[in-house]
Amino acid sequence: RIAKAPTQTEAMELASQVLRQLTPTTTVAFARYDATSDSLVCDFSTGDTHARLIGLTVRLGERVSWLAAANQKASVNLRHLG
């Protein structure tokens, strides 16, 4: 279903639903690599009720949770805030 989604936003929504089924999370964020600034930019999130993640920019290597991008590997941060 994700690959056949008509828009990128719908694909991200579907991917978020799958991730929430697989992990104990309520917030999911997707970032893209921006080569001009050598950073990751959050373009999409779900569960972020105040939309604080959209536009978040982190230079590669600045934060451990985003370090996986520098190594081109997926990362899931399962930190429980309960």
Side-chain angles (χ1 to χ4, degrees), residues 1-2 5 8-31 42-48 53-54 76:
R1 288 181 44 197
I2 295 170
Q8 183 178 7
T9 299
E10 289 181 50
M12 296 297 179
E13 286 284 350
L14 289 168
S16 296
Q17 290 173 13
V18 171
L19 288 171
R20 282 190 301 242
Q21 291 173 0
L22 296 173
T23 62
T25 188
T26 55
T27 303
V28 176
F30 293 97
C42 180
D43 286 336
F44 181 86
S45 68
T46 58
D48 179 21
L53 295 174
I54 300 298
V76 177

Side-chain angles (χ1 to χ4, degrees), residues 8 12 15-16 19 28-35 38-46 53-60 65-70 73-75:
Q8 183 178 7
M12 296 297 179
S16 296
L19 288 171
V28 176
F30 293 97
R32 67 175 165 78
Y33 176 68
D34 180 1
D38 194 32
S39 61
L40 296 172
V41 180
C42 180
D43 286 336
F44 181 86
S45 68
T46 58
L53 295 174
I54 300 298
L56 175 68
T57 302
V58 179
R59 289 188 50 83
L60 289 186
S65 61
W66 294 80
L67 187 59
K73 297 187 188 240
S75 175

